Amino acid sequence: MNAPYPPPPPPPPPPAAGKDRTTLWGVLGIVLGLICCGILGIVFGYLSIRDAKRYGQSPVLGYLAIAFGVLNIIGTAIWRASGTYPLWDD
């Protein structure tokens, strides 16, 4: 007689209970990172990645928010260094 097959593995556990705000944090980070506040874009990008890992979602929006936030900071620094930044009175 053949040995029986081992039982199948148990199903994965359901995602953690709570509100999934992955998309909210990602979109806020992208918008703020592009328009005004690079640091807030990075913060919201981090929150998006954290929630994506917690709820099993894609972290792409968080990575984009961080990238746009960093680009905003670098672009603003270059703009200020060039001396043509409109909010500074020389």
Side-chain angles (χ1 to χ4, degrees), residues 32-45:
L32 291 174
L34 279 174
I35 294 177
C36 68
C37 309
I39 293 175
L40 285 178
I42 293 170
V43 169
F44 285 127

Side-chain angles (χ1 to χ4, degrees), residues 47-60:
L47 291 174
S48 177
I49 293 170
R50 184 197 64 184
D51 278 1
K53 289 179 182 178
R54 182 180 295 166
Y55 296 108
Q57 302 290 329
S58 172
V60 171

